[in-house]
Amino acid sequence: MAFSIATWNINSVRLRIGNVERFIGENQPDVLCLQETKTPDEFFPQEAFERLGYSHRLIHGMKGYNGVAILSRLPVAEIGTRSWCEREDCRHGVVRLANGIELHNLYIPAGGDIPDPALNPKFAHKLQFLDELTLSFAAREMTAAKPMILVGDLNIAPLEHDVWSHKQLLDVVSHTPVEVEKLEALRRAGGFYDAIRHFVPADQKLYSWWSYRARDWDLSDRGRRLDHIWVTPDLVPALESFAVHRDLRGWEKASDHVPVLLRLKD
């Protein structure tokens, strides 16, 4: 059962493959889940991951937008993808690892800038995506009990200290009450536990994303925790350690997100 898993919105895997290789070299995750790979499957740098030992892969991408990938050193028994909102936009990959864990890698829509579904189709899409996903997990929970991990860029910072200013961001997309409510409904529907907040109390600041717009992202530290790892209760006793790799935000050609890594023990 002991293994490590990392999630990272890479914001173009081909552009940042050097950073991916460096991160893997330094941290050696058994499973790496990427979002916003931004490339069709035929152009995904599979050879690089093969050299690094990730011989089990789910690649689900498209030109220029979205895209998810699961790269694993552990054997994978099944792979599949799912689509929501009647769109084939490459936002959800699923594998079942040989150890029995079902792993979901998600890239939830960002939602644009206006937090009003009547005025902003992107925000309406985000809310619909969350609703459909929640209904799916709620239906599954009634018929199948199995260990699951859900990771990804969920594009919502749900807790007060998941953002640099709760008060100032209440009407900013990613921290609005309606988004937070729907994300919590999704978490409950799947019976998930917030694995990272297991290690960091809710009253402590914790971020995984810093905007490219900031002149000095590190000094201003106006971050948000958009990247999450959730586990089902049967995996909670196995939680061993975590890391949010903030230093990667300062690397050359950095993504605006940094990897979040979780280690589980036997």
Side-chain angles (χ1 to χ4, degrees):
M1 176 65 74
F3 72 101
S4 57
I5 182 170
T7 181
W8 190 4
N9 179 319
I10 194 60
N11 192 15
S12 177
V13 66
R14 289 193 291 166
L15 180 62
R16 305 185 210 284
I17 188 62
N19 285 358
V20 174
E21 291 173 331
R22 179 179 170 186
F23 170 73
I24 288 172
E26 294 177 0
N27 297 279
Q28 300 296 320
D30 294 305
V31 182
L32 175 62
C33 295
L34 300 176
Q35 304 87 38
E36 268 202 286
T37 53
K38 293 184 174 180
T39 183
D41 295 353
E42 60 266 30
F43 297 126
F44 189 91
Q46 299 198 44
E47 296 81 2
F49 289 101
E50 191 71 33
R51 290 195 302 271
L52 293 163
Y54 295 85
S55 55
H56 307 278
R57 296 183 290 275
L58 181 153
I59 310 299
H60 185 42
M62 59 191 293
K63 183 178 180 180
Y65 296 94
N66 309 336
V68 293
I70 300 175
L71 300 314
S72 179
R73 289 174 168 167
L74 304 177
V76 171
E78 298 176 10
I79 63 172
T81 62
R82 297 183 184 168
S83 298
W84 307 101
C85 307
E86 299 182 343
R87 303 188 188 193
E88 297 288 340
D89 54 358
C90 303
R91 293 182 178 274
H92 190 174
V94 187
V95 305
R96 184 168 60 85
L97 301 174
N99 60 16
I101 293 175
E102 184 175 287
L103 170 61
H104 293 257
N105 182 17
L106 280 165
Y107 176 47
I108 288 177
D113 296 324
I114 302 171
D116 185 338
L119 300 176
N120 178 7
K122 292 182 178 180
F123 194 68
H125 176 215
K126 183 176 191 174
L127 300 185
Q128 181 185 356
F129 190 101
L130 288 163
D131 285 343
E132 291 188 12
L133 198 58
T134 298
L135 287 172
S136 174
F137 274 108
R140 284 174 47 88
E141 187 68 10
M142 296 171 61
T143 59
K146 63 178 67 177
M148 290 191 293
I149 299 177
L150 184 151
V151 309
D153 176 6
L154 306 188
N155 263 314
I156 299 171
L159 303 181
E160 177 176 347
H161 295 286
D162 287 342
V163 295
W164 64 272
S165 174
H166 172 64
K167 183 177 180 180
Q168 294 184 64
L169 271 68
L170 275 173
D171 59 353
V172 173
V173 173
S174 79
H175 192 60
T176 64
V178 65
E179 293 170 273
V180 170
E181 179 182 341
K182 288 184 181 294
L183 189 69
E184 176 61 12
L186 170 60
R187 188 191 65 78
R188 290 197 310 266
F192 289 111
Y193 179 82
D194 186 341
I196 304 307
R197 280 297 183 184
H198 175 83
F199 300 99
V200 182
D203 62 354
Q204 294 184 21
K205 294 288 188 184
L206 185 63
Y207 313 139
S208 64
W209 173 90
W210 293 263
S211 174
Y212 285 134
R213 298 176 184 175
R215 180 171 299 178
D216 187 333
W217 70 271
D218 193 28
L219 181 62
S220 63
D221 200 24
R222 294 190 171 192
R224 305 178 203 176
R225 185 172 72 112
L226 304 179
D227 305 273
H228 300 265
I229 302 179
W230 295 349
V231 303
T232 44
D234 44 357
L235 295 176
V236 172
L239 298 179
E240 181 175 34
S241 64
F242 89 104
V244 175
H245 288 269
R246 178 189 174 109
D247 59 307
L248 271 70
R249 183 61 179 82
W251 286 6
E252 187 177 354
K253 292 186 177 180
S255 171
D256 45 358
H257 296 252
V258 300
V260 178
L261 187 145
L262 177 71
R263 297 188 186 277
L264 296 95
K265 60 190 175 184
D266 283 324

